[in-house]
Amino acid sequence: MRKIKYKKGRKLQHITLEYTGTHKEHETEMQLFVYDDADVVEYDKFTVLALNSCFDYTKNNWLNVHGLNDIGLLKTIGTHFKLDDFLLADILNTTKRTKLEEQQNVLFFNIKSLLPSEYSDNISVEQISFILKDGILISFQEKRSDFFTHIRERLRTHAGIVRTKKVDYLLYLLLDAVMENFYITLEDEEDKVEELINLTKKDAKPIILEKIENHRDNLNFLKRSIVPLRDSLYYLKTKKDDDDENGLIQKETFNFFIRLHQKSLELLEQIESDMSALESASNFYFSEQSRKMNEIMKTLTIISAIFIPLTFIVGVYGMNFENMPELKMQNGYFVVMGVMFLLVIGLIIYFKKRRWF
């Protein structure tokens, strides 16, 4: 059974524009925010026809694209903002790992957003990509979701400092919102792991071992998703003291990306701790199975030890020799049965004193 709802697309050429994700039923929609400290204008049903008229390059512009099925629309966006086809191919190819790429006057960032499935142990995956240009941030989501609802409200209500900052700070907020999903997913995994550990201590059934392995796969997938994110954020961290050629990220904004890097390290440390807990649960399962097997073998051994002398007595008196005086005794049967009974009682008392059971 495949635990992770992440359909691996077929391999494509680097420049091939084809959406490889699983959310093919979602229609492509766009939303635009044009804002500064004084005002914000929201275009909820934005179309490519308004690309020239609605953008205000003296302010901050955030274009959010939901759905990646309309390849023609994405080509139009790429042509308008002078994005090469390699970037568009990376946006559409959801099998790519998290990456950060700098081009002339463009910063490209994509990330995997992970959330637990509601009715199963699966992990739902969505790729989100960002294009950062001077005064412009474009985000691409595979489907409409509520990851950024609170950020939109902060823009509308002028809450916090987001409208006083450039779009690089908005990129930080969006990345931070996606990383919160990692915490939600990891917390859900931790709750299930704790439940598995408790079940293992109560009754180590084979199905528990299967669940342990499934959750180990989930944690490994989380780790594989966070490690490239950590590396990308570390690259931004190292650029803090360098001269940023493009000037796309302000000097004061680098500190916020350093916080994201620290979060990625915390997530990886917690994943390692959870995997150790799963390993302990797995070891406890096998130890419990061995203990049960030892108990069964001990019981069978005690029973065998009790019946061995009885079998010997029965074998002796089952021989067909004529000169066996006990066979002629009137109460020989009852004497032998009494001896056998006393022998059984004696062995039980002996085993009990030795604490063999």
Side-chain angles (χ1 to χ4, degrees):
M1 182 176 66
R2 190 170 178 80
K3 297 300 295 175
I4 298 171
K5 288 185 176 179
Y6 180 46
K7 183 179 179 181
K8 184 175 181 180
R10 61 186 178 85
K11 292 184 178 180
L12 304 174
Q13 296 296 324
H14 296 300
I15 204 169
T16 302
L17 299 184
E18 180 181 338
Y19 174 54
T20 62
T22 59
H23 305 285
K24 298 183 181 295
E25 73 281 2
H26 294 275
E27 183 181 353
T28 303
E29 300 175 348
M30 294 190 294
Q31 181 185 41
L32 174 66
F33 282 89
V34 180
Y35 67 93
D36 60 9
D37 189 19
D39 191 23
V40 59
V41 180
E42 179 180 354
Y43 302 91
D44 192 35
K45 298 294 182 181
F46 187 75
T47 64
V48 292
L49 298 177
L51 282 173
N52 291 318
S53 59
C54 293
F55 274 77
D56 186 346
Y57 296 100
T58 64
K59 300 181 179 181
N60 298 312
N61 302 267
W62 174 28
L63 176 63
N64 194 15
V65 181
H66 304 100
L68 304 178
N69 296 303
D70 194 336
I71 307 299
L73 185 147
L74 266 67
K75 284 184 177 180
T76 302
I77 293 176
T79 301
H80 182 83
F81 292 105
K82 299 179 180 178
L83 306 176
D84 62 41
D85 286 345
F86 288 101
L87 290 183
L88 295 178
D90 286 341
I91 292 170
L92 291 168
N93 190 349
T94 60
T95 64
K96 295 285 187 179
R97 72 198 300 261
T98 295
K99 66 180 291 188
L100 172 68
E101 182 177 342
E102 279 189 292
Q103 296 183 3
Q104 186 175 5
N105 300 320
V106 174
L107 180 69
F108 172 74
F109 206 123
N110 77 346
I111 186 174
K112 296 290 188 294
S113 176
L114 309 181
L115 279 174
S117 297
E118 188 175 357
Y119 301 109
S120 69
D121 291 336
N122 297 334
I123 293 179
S124 298
V125 184
E126 178 186 350
Q127 178 170 284
I128 302 177
S129 303
F130 301 98
I131 297 288
L132 180 65
K133 292 174 65 71
D134 186 21
I136 300 172
L137 177 63
I138 310 175
S139 56
F140 298 88
Q141 297 179 247
E142 293 188 67
K143 60 184 178 66
R144 181 176 286 275
S145 58
D146 56 356
F147 300 158
F148 308 140
T149 300
H150 64 290
I151 299 176
R152 296 187 183 95
E153 286 301 316
R154 290 171 68 174
L155 286 171
R156 295 177 184 124
T157 61
H158 206 333
I161 62 174
V162 58
R163 278 174 47 184
T164 65
K165 296 287 187 179
K166 299 293 185 180
V167 286
D168 57 340
Y169 180 77
L170 178 61
L171 174 61
Y172 154 73
L173 290 179
L174 299 179
L175 289 174
D176 186 57
V178 175
M179 289 190 70
E180 285 300 316
N181 293 341
F182 284 106
Y183 283 99
I184 293 172
T185 305
L186 186 55
E187 183 179 356
D188 181 76
E189 285 295 315
E190 287 175 345
D191 291 340
K192 292 175 180 177
V193 167
E194 184 178 356
E195 182 181 351
L196 277 177
I197 293 173
N198 293 332
L199 286 174
T200 305
K201 293 178 180 178
K202 291 179 181 178
D203 188 9
K205 296 180 179 179
I207 188 64
I208 294 178
L209 183 61
E210 180 181 345
K211 290 184 177 181
I212 288 175
E213 292 303 317
N214 289 336
H215 286 294
R216 183 180 284 114
D217 290 341
N218 286 352
L219 290 175
N220 277 321
F221 184 78
L222 273 167
K223 184 177 180 179
R224 292 197 305 272
S225 300
I226 297 173
V227 166
L229 173 62
R230 177 204 61 189
D231 296 339
S232 299
L233 293 171
Y234 179 77
Y235 171 77
L236 289 179
K237 179 181 176 181
T238 58
K239 286 179 63 64
K240 179 182 178 182
D241 298 326
D242 299 336
D243 293 329
D244 188 8
E245 297 179 358
N246 297 326
L248 296 174
I249 299 180
Q250 306 296 311
K251 289 291 185 181
E252 61 272 16
T253 311
F254 275 110
N255 291 327
F256 296 105
F257 287 97
I258 292 174
R259 293 181 186 179
L260 294 182
H261 179 256
Q262 185 63 36
K263 281 188 174 183
S264 67
L265 295 178
E266 292 173 357
L267 284 166
L268 288 173
E269 289 176 359
Q270 190 58 45
I271 288 174
E272 292 296 335
S273 175
D274 293 337
M275 292 185 72
S276 296
L278 273 179
E279 186 67 26
S280 298
S282 180
N283 292 336
F284 185 86
Y285 170 84
F286 288 113
S287 298
E288 186 65 15
Q289 291 295 315
S290 297
R291 186 192 66 81
K292 287 184 176 180
M293 180 61 68
N294 290 336
E295 289 293 328
I296 293 172
M297 294 304 297
K298 184 172 69 174
T299 301
L300 293 177
T301 301
I302 291 174
I303 294 174
S304 300
I306 291 174
F307 277 91
I308 284 174
L310 303 184
T311 305
F312 174 75
I313 294 172
V314 171
V316 169
Y317 289 103
M319 293 186 294
N320 296 322
F321 292 113
E322 294 186 2
N323 296 322
M324 295 184 68
E326 293 85 355
L327 298 179
K328 305 296 182 180
M329 294 176 57
Q330 183 176 359
N331 297 319
Y333 170 78
F334 300 102
V335 171
V336 172
M337 291 299 294
V339 170
M340 294 171 67
F341 177 76
L342 292 174
L343 185 58
V344 170
I345 298 299
L347 288 173
I348 292 175
I349 294 173
Y350 176 76
F351 294 153
K352 196 71 174 178
K353 285 186 176 181
R354 296 297 299 269
R355 296 182 179 178
W356 289 0
F357 65 89

